[in-house]
Amino acid sequence: MPATLLHTHRVEKPWGRRDLYPGFDDVEGGGEPVGEVWFQAPGDTAPALLIKYLFTGEKLSVQVHPDDDEAHKRGLPRGKDECWTILSATPDSTIALGPKQAIGANELRDSALDGSIEEKLDWVPVKAGDFYYAPSGTIHAIGAGLTLIEVQQNSETTYRLYDYGRPRELHLDDGVAVAHLDPYRPIVSPGLAGDYRTVLVEGPKFVLERWTGGTHPVALPEGLTAWIVPIKGSGEVAGVAFKAGECVTVTGSETITASEDADYLFAYPGTVRL
């Protein structure tokens, strides 16, 4: 099919929220907090990318993901580069990205065990509209009070280094082995690529653009899938309607028709923009 509306899968998390975001139903009564919403294709498929919303009521664990090479050493299909488009943030919201200063492997392990790793990370203030790209190997922790869209390589391999005393497993051997020990270096987004396109990141694992409303043609090479992630507004592609809180995949040559107020992400695997 040239376009598919993806299934919405809500994931309960101890750090999640009951008040979510426009386009999603809040958790009623005493239901468990929802931390993530995943968009998944019907059937048993393993696409190159995975799209999620995150709703954080508390800090996520300090964690790290392997790159492709480290994943392959462990018998895994791929690593996990990821990026975050911030939709809303409380005034004190932060994300930790790498250590403040270069850190040795032994020091990283010891600080993860005694909890001092929190103070050694670079906690960056974030606000609505910000964008961050975290290459695999980046030590990171997403803070509380955020709603964001995560675009990532389709891997759920997470090595947890520290979890604030929560009773969850840590993965110190693998985490320390794959972690970048130097401070994080932010990417520079390419920026405007036309009247309606802003390129947020261009490779190495995927391209992510932010588009505005109107009628826009897309021509995808054979075998390439793109993801449309509406933030606000509504639209249609190949006879499939979409609105905020949903996600649609598209293949081939089609035309996206979106409301004038539409704001959406357009993501696809690769190293260069189409």
Side-chain angles (χ1 to χ4, degrees), residues 124-204:
V124 180
V126 295
K127 63 184 184 304
D130 286 348
F131 175 78
Y132 296 92
Y133 187 90
S136 47
T138 303
I139 304 167
H140 63 278
I142 296 174
L146 291 168
T147 299
L148 59 88
I149 298 174
E150 179 174 286
V151 176
Q152 57 163 92
Q153 289 181 274
N154 190 5
S155 166
E156 281 310 297
T157 302
T158 295
Y159 298 137
R160 198 177 294 119
L161 297 172
Y162 178 70
D163 202 26
Y164 320 99
R166 296 179 186 128
R168 297 196 294 175
E169 181 184 5
L170 300 181
H171 315 94
L172 294 182
D173 289 343
D174 283 318
V176 171
V178 306
H180 295 166
L181 303 177
D182 293 323
Y184 167 80
R185 294 185 178 182
I187 67 158
V188 177
S189 293
L192 289 174
D195 292 339
Y196 61 90
R197 300 171 60 188
T198 299
V199 179
L200 300 176
V201 65
E202 192 170 17

Side-chain angles (χ1 to χ4, degrees), residues 222-251:
E222 184 176 355
L224 187 70
T225 296
W227 282 254
I228 300 168
V229 193
I231 298 169
K232 68 176 183 177
S234 59
E236 179 270 337
V237 60
V240 176
F242 59 80
K243 63 182 184 300
E246 296 178 337
C247 183
V248 172
T249 56
V250 61
T251 58

Side-chain angles (χ1 to χ4, degrees), residues 1-3 211 216-226 228 236-239 249-256 266 274:
M1 295 179 63
W211 289 17
H216 310 311
V218 294
L220 298 164
E222 184 176 355
L224 187 70
T225 296
I228 300 168
E236 179 270 337
V237 60
T249 56
V250 61
T251 58
S253 295
E254 300 292 341
T255 298
I256 302 171
F266 188 76
L274 296 177

Side-chain angles (χ1 to χ4, degrees), residues 30-71:
E32 293 298 315
V34 169
E36 301 178 354
V37 169
W38 297 17
F39 297 105
Q40 298 175 310
D44 184 17
T45 61
L49 301 182
L50 177 63
I51 313 297
K52 300 177 182 178
Y53 274 75
L54 271 66
F55 315 98
T56 69
E58 300 176 4
K59 289 179 180 178
L60 277 66
S61 62
V62 177
Q63 57 189 245
V64 65
H65 311 294
D67 62 17
D68 286 351
D69 289 341
E70 292 291 343

